[in-house]
Every structure is written in structure tokens, then in C-alpha cells.
């Protein structure tokens, strides 16, 4: 365990922030080939504790391997259900990439567990997920991992490039964690093909439509030739995971292409979909995600131009949407949860930061505050807003170490 005194931030330019309903914000990042979890502490002095979550398992399984990518998800907070933190780790050993999962960690307990990991070598517990969707490729390159934030169970999607017989082929897989097979058989890779495959994917995220049979789906936005596509498809057929799944086309006005998308998880694990496209913020409710569903425009203006990333969360009694636009500005707009389908209920987008390169919102699960971390140049910035407050408090956490 490393201790960074005062306000030293995690020494990595790519990070994810998660804010459990109980406890301080957790920042996940890769440093020197290790997956690290950094959290703020206040005793004996204010500072950051950095926990190595991966080295023990890598040394045991793949000596000389390095953490190259990761994903994290915090299950949506619901009454009477423990909030879980899910992690995915990609390890490269020079011959290819390997996937490890650590799912359903009690979010409030993980920092204490990690503090003892150096001694025990067991926090968190990682499950190896070897590729098993056909003949092993000559080389497997994992390009992205996504984990859903549903409260009932974890859903995982892996994007990869297979190198077989001298050809490279992109592919996407849902990781079956036991719903369609015996849990003792271990995770299975199930290829997830959609009509957009072969085109250009611009954005994707996990969520669930109403009537989805308790199975998460994937939202994909991209281009198939010159045609814009926005799709939703369950990760697998809930009645037989090995059978084909169906896809639904969601429609934006005048065939617009999406710049960025974000799913907002509801307490019942369904999700609304928010889409930024050509200067307008659109919305699909969980019940409006059937074939040919039409988007509802929530607002238009320069704040939504060229949106590079989008995030949405329901905290307290409001839904908040954050975005990083083409001008490097972090914008924020919100509405009462019961009125999200009323464009007049949404607040005027506010620019809360400028000259930003990446953001990681971490709304508190119990709705007591909103926190956002942002990378601006070589610095990490944190802005916080309490419910009912009209302004944001900015704190320059410090420069990145390299």
C-alpha cells in the first residue's frame, strides 16, 4: 500500500471514479502495470491511499504480465440491498491478453479488504476467464471491457480483436456467468453480433429496456456505411443463451448520428437512454425502446455540440446528465426523476469546467452530493455540488505524477 500525503491524486491520466452510498470516492487507474484503487483519507492527515489490486494474482498466474486495461461498475443503490462493486482486469503477457473478473464485492468493505491484500494476497478475489468461444486465436487483443450497474447481477461485455490464420477480426462477446449453464462450468464467452458490426461504432453502453426478462442489453451507436445506426439488443436470449438475440433500431430525427450516449439506471434495473446528437440532447424512456422508437428532444444549444462523452445518473430525486463537449467544457443539466420526459423540467445546461480532457462523474448513491473528477492538462480537478445548492465547489487536487 502506498500513502500519498496531502492531496496527491492518482498518478495516471485514465481513471474511473465510483462513489458508494457509504464511504469516500474511489478512483481506479493503472500505474506501472498495476491496477490500483486510490481513495481519499483524512487521518492521520488528509491524503490518498493507493492499493495495488492486481500484482499478487498476476505474479501467480502470468509472471511478467502487466495490467493494460480495466473496467469498474457500482451497482445502482436500492433500499435493502447491499451495493456491489464490480471490476474487470485485462492482463497482457506479450503473447496476448487475458481477462479476469472480480464481481459482487461489497462496496463499503472493499477499501478495508484491499488494505490487507498485501498480506493475504486475496483482495479482491479474481476469476480467470479464458477465451472459449471456439478455437483459441493465435492472439487475443482485448480492446474494451464494459460492466453493467444493475443491482440484481453483473453483466459483462468484451470487445476484442482475434488474430487467426493471419487475419485480424474484431468481435464482441457477452460473458455468461452461469445463467444459461452450470455455474461450476465457469464463465463462457458468447459472441454478440449486431447489424452494425462491420461498420464504425462510435459509442456503446449497457442498460435494460422494460420487459427485458432481467437481462441487460447493449446500446450501440455508429455508422453502417453512410447510414447512422442506434441499436439496442439484449446480451443473450434469456431462454437459451446460445440462441440468436434480436436487435431493435432506435430512431433519431432526420437520420442523425449520435455523438455520445449514456444509460441511466432506474431502481427497478431498467434504464433510460440519453443521446447527444448534433447539438441536441435526446431521451428514450425504458418503455420506449421498441423497434422504430422515436427519440424525445430534451434541449438544443451550443453546450451539446460535438459531445465527446456523456454520463447520466439518478441520485436522490433527480436525474443528472453530465457531458464533455467539443469545446472541452463540462456541462451539466438535471430534472426531477418524475418529470424526465418533460423538456420544460430540465434545467438550463451549465458549464462547470473548461479546458478539460476527460471526466469521471461519481454521484453519491444516496443523493447527498454530486462529485465529478476531471483531467485538465496535467492536473486532476474535483468539483462538488450539494443538493439544493446553486453552485459548484472546485478543488484542484494536484498534478499527475509521471
Amino acid at each position: 500500500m502506498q500513502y500519498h500525503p496531502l492531496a496527491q491524486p492518482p498518478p495516471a491520466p485514465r481513471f474511473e471514479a465510483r462513489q458508494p452510498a457509504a464511504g469516500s470516492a474511489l478512483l481506479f487507474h493503472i500505474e506501472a502495470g498495476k491496477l490500483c484503487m486510490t481513495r481519499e483519507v483524512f487521518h492521520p492527515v488528509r491524503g490518498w491511499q493507493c492499493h495495488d489490486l492486481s500484482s499478487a494474482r498476476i505474479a501467480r498466474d502470468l509472471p511478467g504480465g502487466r495490467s493494460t486495461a480495466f473496467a469498474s461498475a457500482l451497482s445502482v443503490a436500492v433500499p435493502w440491498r447491499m451495493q456491489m462493486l464490480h471490476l474487470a482486469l485485462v492482463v497482457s503477457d506479450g503473447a496476448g491478453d487475458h481477462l479476469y473478473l472480480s464481481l459482487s464485492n461489497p462496496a463499503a468493505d472493499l477499501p478495508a479488504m484491499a488494505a490487507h491484500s498485501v498480506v493475504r494476497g486475496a483482495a479482491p478475489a479474481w476469476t480467470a476467464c479464458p477465451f472459449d468461444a471456439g478455437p483459441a486465436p493465435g492472439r487475443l487483443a482485448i480492446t474494451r471491457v464494459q460492466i453493467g450497474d444493475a443491482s440484481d447481477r453483473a453483466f459483462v461485455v468484451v470487445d476484442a480483436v482475434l488474430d487467426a490464420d493471419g487475419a485480424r477480426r474484431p468481435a464482441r462477446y457477452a460473458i455468461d456467468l452461469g445463467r444459461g449453464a452450470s455455474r461450476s462450468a465457469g464463465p463462457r464467452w458468447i459472441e454478440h453480433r449486431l447489424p452494425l458490426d462491420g461498420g464504425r461504432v462510435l459509442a456503446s453502453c449497457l442498460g435494460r429496456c422494460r420487459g427485458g426478462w432481467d437481462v441487460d442489453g447493449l446500446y450501440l451507436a455508429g455508422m453502417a456505411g453512410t447510414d447512422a445506426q442506434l441499436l439496442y439488443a439484449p446480451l443473450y436470449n434469456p431462454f437459451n443463451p446460445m440462441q440468436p438475440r434480436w436487435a431493435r433500431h432506435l430512431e433519431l430525427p432526420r437520420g442523425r448520428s449520435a455523438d455520445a450516449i449514456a444509460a441511466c439506471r432506474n431502481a427497478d434495473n431498467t434504464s433510460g437512454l440519453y443521446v447527444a446528437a448534433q447539438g441536441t440532447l435526446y431521451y428514450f424512456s425504458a418503455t420506449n425502446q421498441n423497434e422504430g422508437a422515436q427519440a424525445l428532444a430534451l434541449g438544443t444549444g451550443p453546450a451539446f455540440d460535438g459531445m465527446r462523452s456523456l454520463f447520466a445518473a439518478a441520485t436522490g430525486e433527480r436525474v443528472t446528465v453530465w457531458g464533455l463537449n467539443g469545446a472541452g467544457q463540462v456541462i451539466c443539466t438535471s430534472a426531477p426523476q418524475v418529470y424526465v420526459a418533460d423538456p420544460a423540467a430540465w434545467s438550463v445546461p451549465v458549464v462547470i469546467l473548461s479546458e478539460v480532457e476527460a471526466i469521471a462523474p461519481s454521484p453519491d448513491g444516496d443523493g447527498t452530493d454530486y462529485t465529478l473528477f476531471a483531467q485538465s492538462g496535467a492536473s486532476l480537478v474535483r468539483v462538488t455540488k450539494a443538493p439544493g445548492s446553486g453552485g459548484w465547489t472546485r478543488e484542484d487536487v494536484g498534478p499527475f505524477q509521471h
Side-chain angles (χ1 to χ4, degrees):
M1 179 179 71
Q2 294 177 312
Y3 185 82
H4 300 297
L6 300 179
Q8 197 66 33
R14 195 255 177 185
F15 61 94
E16 292 183 359
R18 303 297 173 199
Q19 175 74 63
S24 58
L26 305 175
L27 303 180
F28 296 92
H29 55 98
I30 289 179
E31 175 186 357
K34 303 177 292 186
L35 174 61
C36 298
M37 178 184 70
T38 299
R39 68 181 182 118
E40 190 174 17
V41 295
F42 298 90
H43 182 78
V45 295
R46 187 184 180 191
W48 296 87
Q49 283 184 339
C50 182
H51 305 285
D52 177 359
L53 302 183
S54 63
S55 291
R57 184 59 186 265
I58 294 175
R60 191 182 83 183
D61 290 3
L62 301 165
R66 294 173 58 86
S67 302
T68 56
F70 72 95
S72 67
L74 183 66
S75 65
V76 63
V78 297
W80 315 114
R81 179 171 287 180
M82 185 177 295
Q83 203 170 21
M84 297 297 180
L85 187 60
H86 310 301
L87 300 171
L89 172 67
V90 178
V91 180
S92 178
D93 64 354
D97 291 341
H98 305 263
L99 176 67
Y100 288 83
L101 298 176
S102 180
L103 307 177
S104 301
N105 297 289
D109 299 337
L110 186 60
M113 292 166 57
H116 296 87
S117 63
V118 173
V119 177
R120 300 179 182 177
W126 293 102
T127 298
C129 302
F131 180 85
D132 63 354
R139 180 181 178 87
L140 174 70
I142 297 175
T143 57
R144 187 183 183 189
V145 182
Q146 298 178 74
I147 309 177
D149 58 353
S151 64
D152 51 2
R153 60 194 302 264
F155 293 87
V156 182
V157 172
V158 177
D159 289 301
V161 176
L162 309 182
D163 190 344
D165 300 324
R168 292 171 59 84
R169 179 176 72 87
R172 183 182 309 106
Y173 299 90
I175 306 299
D176 177 17
L177 301 170
R179 190 181 183 97
S182 170
R183 291 184 183 274
S184 62
R188 293 189 303 171
W189 295 54
I190 302 175
E191 190 162 9
H192 187 272
R193 294 184 178 179
L194 288 176
L196 185 56
D197 292 346
R200 185 162 57 100
V201 175
L202 302 176
S204 66
C205 63
L206 283 163
R208 190 181 305 175
C209 70
R210 183 67 55 85
W213 295 295
D214 299 330
V215 173
D216 266 13
L218 188 68
Y219 300 99
L220 277 180
M223 302 295 295
T226 58
D227 297 328
Q229 299 280 319
L230 181 61
L231 305 176
Y232 170 80
L235 295 186
Y236 46 77
N237 186 315
F239 305 106
N240 186 342
M242 302 309 294
Q243 293 297 314
R245 80 283 303 148
W246 42 261
R248 299 173 177 178
H249 293 78
L250 310 180
E251 303 292 341
L252 296 176
R254 297 181 292 282
R256 290 183 171 182
S257 61
D259 296 318
I261 62 176
C264 179
R265 189 76 65 165
N266 301 314
D268 63 358
N269 286 318
T270 64
S271 59
L273 179 68
Y274 294 87
V275 181
Q278 299 179 33
T280 300
L281 180 66
Y282 295 97
Y283 171 63
F284 294 90
S285 70
T287 58
N288 181 37
Q289 295 177 19
N290 296 313
E291 175 67 23
Q294 300 294 311
L296 171 67
L298 298 178
T300 299
F304 299 116
D305 284 341
M307 198 64 70
R308 291 152 50 186
S309 58
L310 201 67
F311 302 86
T315 54
E317 297 180 351
R318 298 186 71 83
V319 169
T320 303
V321 175
W322 297 267
L324 176 60
N325 65 21
Q329 299 171 324
V330 179
I331 64 99
C332 174
T333 181
S334 66
Q337 279 189 268
V338 295
Y339 298 119
V340 292
D342 179 2
W346 285 85
S347 63
V348 175
V350 175
V351 176
I352 58 177
L353 284 175
S354 298
E355 299 181 355
V356 171
E357 299 169 19
I359 61 174
S362 60
D364 191 329
D366 62 9
T368 58
D369 59 19
Y370 304 95
T371 300
L372 181 142
F373 292 87
Q375 178 190 349
S376 179
S379 297
L380 184 68
V381 177
R382 173 168 54 187
V383 291
T384 304
K385 177 185 178 183
S389 170
W392 294 79
T393 300
R394 171 175 172 155
E395 177 184 6
D396 292 315
V397 178
F400 280 113
Q401 295 176 338
H402 294 284

